[in-house]
Amino acid sequence: MAEQLKLRVIVADDDFRRLDVPSGMPRTLTDLQSTICQAFGIERDFRIQFMDPDFNNEFMNITSMQDIQDRSTIKLVYMANLDTSASLSKQYPTCSLDSSASPESIQRNSSLSSSSSNSDSTIILPQSDSELRSCAWPREFTIPRFSFNVEVQLQRGNETFRETGTRLKITPGVKSDILETLAEAIFQFTAYPQNYQIDEVAGALIKKFPCLREPSATGYYGWMISLKYKMANYRTKMRNIGCPEVTINALKNKSSDDCLPAKNVKKPKKAEVNFCPLHPAGETDDSLENIRVELLTDIRRRNGASDVRQKMSRTFSYRRQEVVQGSPTAGEFKARWPALFQINEVNAEFQRITTLQLETTFAAQLDRITPQLMTVFQKKGGVSGQKLAHHLQIMQEAESDVKVKREAVLRALCLYLGEEDGSLIREYLDIEGDDIQRGLKKHTMGIYVINKEDGQNGHYDDIGIFVEGEIVMDNIGSPAQACALMLGVIYALNLAYPKELRHYYEFIQKVLMGLDGEKLS
């Protein structure tokens, strides 16, 4: 029998309650949320935060049930307190709160995992929320309701199929209505669905309406093909009304040497949810350019942090279109958007693009899988095993220093995947001066650390990120934090992963962060 769980719950600023769960630890966040609602009679939507000992007991959003222990303190943050929650729930399907310890579940719960509204890292969505998608692709695709006459025909078709096994013969008009509705629902998540996503939608359709089953191996192969063509037609329809996510691929927007329809298609390649969104209502390129110019002054103001956050959020679509269409160099982009290359704004930009928190998820998942990674590393033999032994020793000796341990795990991960940890983190001595700058120009992108002369582990004079030889961020707290922020910079600048670290970044994106984890090399 499970041990009874006892929790201290901060229901409101002046309302502290005790929660006893006789059945023990709930299996998922959904179960915990339901238990809290029943125990305290709460009817409002909320997210749950816990005291994180790694961050001086600051409240952090729960990403896994492993974050909670018996006699922990948790806090309820009501969604009604967020400016964007109500309108987002109307525009997009509700994201599931069902969460296990898997990266996939964290990805899908990301829209409910943003920082609390009084935090410096609060992510402010544009005033017109309908321009941004709020959810990544769902674990189970929900078939939307069709028009009334189609629903009636399908329900009667299901009854006949259950009684006689006769499949429904649908007219071209009904099929077109079904496909159009499905395409619209798919577009709410992605304009360019992958094959497995089309497969999931067709499978969900047949599951809900077995009368539509076809005489093929899967029962829905024909529906998959029809959906692919319908999505292409739907993109054309959205292109004609000016949706930037698809207009960037129109022939008139391509260069003369790049005018084939299927060549260099600009679309999400790393599970970006908001790849190239619409401008906020009432905004134009000119008005958003004026806001960008204001940001150059705001970032230098002592009390301008709040204005910077709001204006960076407001100009997100303008910035994304500039990155996706223009492909500027890192130096050019930093000169135009210096505010983006602050730690809070890198986190905010990553969440706008993916709906997923960056540093919180990165650290939580890395800590969760570290014991399994250590076991795997210990089994590695040969030359790689000898190199890994050094980092394994650091992990064992640094149990009390989480920053050093995370750095060792990430360096070891590179080695295990057949890549050099020196390609991920480039080390220099603080006495090398201009040699550091010249050294960075030889590489595409990465993390640099300037070691102190005493050479102690985990002690550095500076830690930063460089892209195309340009230092875009410095004074970062630890190499592990820099690894997380490096992923954020790659997404913010729409960069491809460097060839020498493609396996490492694929692991970080798909396994650690749970972004597009269904497809692994």
Side-chain angles (χ1 to χ4, degrees), residues 191-259:
Y192 295 91
Q194 299 182 47
N195 287 336
Y196 83 88
Q197 294 169 327
I198 293 289
D199 183 277
E200 287 181 5
V201 175
L205 177 67
I206 296 304
K207 182 178 180 180
K208 184 174 182 179
F209 300 108
C211 62
L212 298 177
R213 180 175 293 275
E214 301 169 339
S216 62
T218 59
Y220 53 78
Y221 179 77
W223 284 105
M224 285 181 57
I225 301 301
S226 297
L227 266 175
K228 287 184 179 180
Y229 282 110
K230 176 55 72 172
M231 283 305 300
N233 293 337
Y234 195 83
R235 285 193 292 269
T236 300
K237 175 181 176 180
M238 298 303 292
R239 185 179 299 118
N240 291 337
I241 63 176
C243 178
E245 192 170 9
V246 289
T247 55
I248 56 174
N249 294 313
L251 292 182
K252 65 180 181 180
N253 290 326
K254 293 191 175 185
S255 60
S256 58
D257 60 344
D258 189 31
C259 59

Side-chain angles (χ1 to χ4, degrees), residues 244 276-280 282-293 314-322 325 336-337:
C276 190
L278 291 165
H279 289 333
E283 298 288 5
T284 64
D285 284 354
D286 291 339
S287 65
L288 293 173
E289 171 65 16
N290 291 335
I291 297 177
R292 185 197 69 80
V293 173
R314 191 71 179 169
T315 55
F316 171 62
S317 61
Y318 183 54
R319 194 162 51 252
R320 285 302 293 176
Q321 291 182 27
E322 181 177 327
Q325 291 180 309
R336 284 179 56 79
W337 300 94

